[in-house]
Amino acid sequence: METYSVLGVKCSSLTMEEALQILEGFLSEERPHLVVTVGPEMVMRAQENEEFKALVNGADLVVPDGAGILWAGRQCGIKFPERVAGVELIVRFAQRLGRLQAPLFLLGAAPGIAEKAGENLQKQIDNLPLAGVNDGYFQDPQPIVEKIAASQAKVLYVGLGSPAQERWVRQHGAAAGIRVGIGVGGSFDVLSGAKKRAPRWMIQLHLEWLYRFLCEPSRFGRILAIPKFMLRVMRAGSQAVKPWNE
């Protein structure tokens, strides 16, 4: 696995299967591992938010969740073999958790959303050990930390938005007793059925961003991050994507 700097933000070049193997390996290590799925919007956020940039660059694994990352690599002669989409990654990892009997906890989203997402995952995946769920509407994190620790969950999916979800894993993962913490953004909305993912043909044509915009015009400000990212990459030239140096 090669790791690169994309406009100063760490991202690994790997396949979905390789990412899943790494996540499975994390389960055997008795410490929390932060996993980030990064796309152009997050790379641009990192240009202005040093805390978020430090969280991503300090993560144990950062995967390319966005066609823009693959495009940026091609501009610099670097190949990212495929997009490791966050929602697909967490479903496929949950399938492995079912086989391994490693308990999963879902944290985030509006009341009832994580619960429904968990129910749907259990319908799809035989013997998925769902340790618990909790919505993202809380003030004091301590009761949540204690709840997760008591559940004996080994994996935590956190849908609190960035950088809150990455910060939460870093600050509370050890006390919660988890071994893998993945920031999942709005994936619980998709898994619960509250929102639909783009049709397969749009995903294959790298137009998922357009589908999201058509469904939610309020995302216009976030969509603007894509052309800004492309412009920044073109201005940086061959230095936009380069080997990562710790």
Side-chain angles (χ1 to χ4, degrees):
M1 177 184 72
E2 298 291 336
T3 300
Y4 296 95
S5 164
V6 181
L7 297 178
V9 177
K10 183 169 74 173
C11 187
S12 291
S13 173
L14 74 179
T15 65
M16 175 69 75
E17 181 60 30
E18 288 170 336
L20 290 167
Q21 291 175 3
I22 292 170
L23 295 183
E24 189 171 328
F26 286 162
L27 293 174
S28 64
E29 300 178 21
E30 294 187 5
R31 68 175 182 87
H33 298 76
L34 172 61
V35 179
V36 180
T37 65
V38 71
E41 180 187 342
M42 294 172 73
V43 170
M44 294 308 296
R45 182 180 297 128
Q47 308 305 305
E48 302 174 354
N49 187 325
E50 286 298 324
E51 180 208 8
F52 178 59
K53 187 175 184 179
L55 283 166
V56 177
N57 288 347
D60 298 277
L61 178 65
V62 184
V63 301
D65 179 6
I69 303 295
L70 278 63
W71 171 84
R74 290 195 298 272
Q75 305 313 300
C76 300
I78 292 171
K79 180 176 176 58
F80 289 90
E82 66 177 311
R83 178 189 175 201
V84 183
V87 66
E88 294 175 12
L89 178 68
I90 63 175
V91 170
R92 291 185 59 177
F93 189 40
Q95 292 170 345
R96 298 203 175 197
L97 299 180
R99 294 198 297 271
L100 297 169
Q101 285 301 286
L104 168 67
F105 196 103
L106 309 182
L107 171 64
I113 296 295
E115 183 177 6
K116 184 62 177 177
E119 291 175 1
N120 288 344
L121 281 173
Q122 287 188 303
K123 289 178 182 177
Q124 297 174 38
I125 302 168
D126 291 338
N127 302 314
L128 175 65
L130 188 63
V133 300
N134 203 96
D135 63 56
Y137 287 70
F138 58 87
Q139 297 295 324
D140 183 2
Q142 191 55 37
I144 310 301
V145 172
E146 294 173 358
K147 181 178 180 180
I148 296 170
S151 76
Q152 297 186 321
K154 298 304 179 189
V155 178
L156 176 66
Y157 290 171
V158 191
L160 298 176
S162 296
Q165 58 195 19
E166 291 81 17
R167 184 191 305 125
W168 207 96
V169 173
R170 270 291 177 243
Q171 291 181 346
H172 307 295
I178 63 167
R179 296 186 179 178
V180 179
I182 306 178
V184 303
S187 294
F188 292 158
D189 289 319
V190 175
L191 295 177
S192 69
K195 294 181 181 179
K196 291 184 178 181
R197 217 181 155 200
R200 177 58 58 180
W201 68 269
M202 294 190 79
I203 295 173
Q204 292 173 339
L205 291 175
H206 306 308
L207 293 175
E208 193 166 10
W209 63 271
L210 177 60
Y211 178 83
R212 290 177 180 174
F213 171 64
L214 293 174
C215 292
E216 300 177 73
S218 60
R219 293 177 60 95
F220 180 71
R222 296 173 64 179
I223 293 298
L224 282 178
I226 297 175
K228 289 179 180 178
F229 170 81
M230 296 176 72
L231 182 60
R232 183 73 68 93
V233 168
M234 289 187 286
R235 283 177 174 171
S238 62
Q239 294 301 300
V241 183
K242 56 187 178 181
W244 176 259
N245 295 312
E246 295 288 354

